[in-house]
């Protein structure tokens, strides 16, 4: 048996990639039911603080072609947040 101590140093990092994948699953589910998401919907549903789950959500939207509606300044705002998961999500999406 392995016990995980979430209160120790690095405990919060254990759940970052599962959060990313959860966001990606949510994005695939939302995006498949929509004909086309608008730029306004994507931009105004951005959280105040970047998160791994939103980064996964962005990747899923990109994989389904919904990020094409973003203007270059919108993409720039995502990339300059200095949040690695968001950068990965936007660039892969």
């Amino acid at each position: 048996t392995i016990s995980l101590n979430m209160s120790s140093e690095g405990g919060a990092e254990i759940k970052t990639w599962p959060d990313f994948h959860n966001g990606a699953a949510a994005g695939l589910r939302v995006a498949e039911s929509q004909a086309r998401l608008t730029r306004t919907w994507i931009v105004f549903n951005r959280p105040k603080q970047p998160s791994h789950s939103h980064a996964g959500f962005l990747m899923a939207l990109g994989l389904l072609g919904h990020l094409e509606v973003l203007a270059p300044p919108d993409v720039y705002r995502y990339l300059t947040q200095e949040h690695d998961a968001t950068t990965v999500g936007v660039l892969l999406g």
Side-chain angles (χ1 to χ4, degrees):
T1 302
I2 299 172
S3 67
L4 297 174
N5 185 0
M6 296 296 283
S7 63
S8 68
E9 183 179 319
E13 292 179 15
I14 291 174
K15 65 180 213 111
T16 56
W17 285 111
D19 284 346
F20 183 88
H21 293 292
N22 190 38
L28 291 171
R29 189 160 178 137
V30 166
E32 75 181 6
S33 65
Q34 298 295 321
R36 202 68 171 142
L37 295 176
T38 64
R39 174 194 172 272
T40 305
W41 189 90
I42 296 170
V43 170
F44 285 111
N45 283 293
R46 184 176 64 217
K48 293 186 190 302
Q49 296 295 322
S51 67
H52 283 77
S53 59
H54 186 68
F57 188 78
L58 289 172
M59 186 184 79
L61 294 182
L63 290 175
L64 296 174
H66 293 287
L67 291 185
E68 293 174 354
V69 298
L70 292 179
D74 299 325
V75 175
Y76 178 77
R77 278 189 213 103
Y78 278 117
L79 296 178
T80 58
Q81 291 179 348
E82 297 182 8
H83 186 252
D84 292 340
T86 300
T87 301
V88 168
V90 170
L91 292 178
L92 289 180

